[in-house]
Amino acid sequence: MEQKLQEAVLEPDFMPTARRMVGVGWVARTMQADPANHTCQLVPLLDWQGPEHLGGQPKVEVLEHRVWDQRVRLRLRLDGPAYVRLAYAYYPHLAVEVDGRSVEPFETVDHFLALRLDAGEHDIELRPLLSPLRRGLLLLDLLLLGVGTWLWIRDRRNHRPCK
């Protein structure tokens, strides 16, 4: 069964089926995770185009991991090129910067972030952005607040108590 799964993962036609059946066990088996070394052999991406073998067995060292309310900063050191799967959920309105440059992250089949990084030290920053819907709703809220304030002030001026 394990050999069939590995062969199936290498077939592009397998991925639509995988999207429907993603579970923790399936992802762990597919990734061929090595918990002792915090590594894996394969990072299954949602829009998978086939395997990209980067060669070698790169090691990753987390130098810094800081979390604020609206920002995450990671500093990593890799000794070879690799796909790095972050323990943060993929979100379409997320600003991802690597070494100060904006990048488009990959989405894994279990909806986490993945980045392709070269060897060396990297600064990664994640910041949420407002979606167009949320921006529109915020604008609508501000508009309604303005109209409501104007109506309240107008009403107060028109109904002054008599002496």
Side-chain angles (χ1 to χ4, degrees), residues 22-36:
V22 168
V24 174
W26 179 86
V27 172
R29 284 190 308 276
T30 302
M31 292 176 69
Q32 301 169 37
D34 180 4

Side-chain angles (χ1 to χ4, degrees), residues 37-137:
N37 293 318
H38 305 290
T39 61
C40 64
Q41 294 298 314
L42 178 75
V43 176
L45 303 176
L46 193 61
D47 293 324
W48 197 64
Q49 300 299 318
E52 179 183 5
H53 299 285
L54 302 177
Q57 300 249 333
K59 301 279 189 268
V60 177
E61 181 183 355
V62 178
L63 304 173
E64 180 183 7
H65 181 203
R66 297 192 61 190
V67 179
W68 291 272
D69 290 337
Q70 295 291 313
R71 186 171 64 134
V72 172
R73 182 170 185 248
L74 287 160
R75 276 191 11 193
L76 307 174
R77 182 181 302 133
L78 288 86
D79 65 358
Y83 280 92
V84 178
R85 179 182 175 268
L86 304 178
Y88 290 96
Y90 178 86
Y91 176 70
H93 302 287
L94 184 69
V96 179
E97 292 182 1
V98 176
D99 300 328
R101 290 186 314 262
S102 182
V103 297
E104 191 65 35
F106 297 104
E107 182 178 4
T108 64
V109 294
D110 53 348
H111 309 292
F112 284 94
L113 288 173
L115 300 169
R116 188 187 188 288
L117 300 175
D118 294 322
E121 199 171 300
H122 299 282
D123 285 318
I124 301 169
E125 188 168 315
L126 310 173
R127 287 179 290 108
L129 302 173
L130 288 177
S131 69
L133 175 63
R134 288 180 184 219
R135 271 195 297 259
L137 290 173

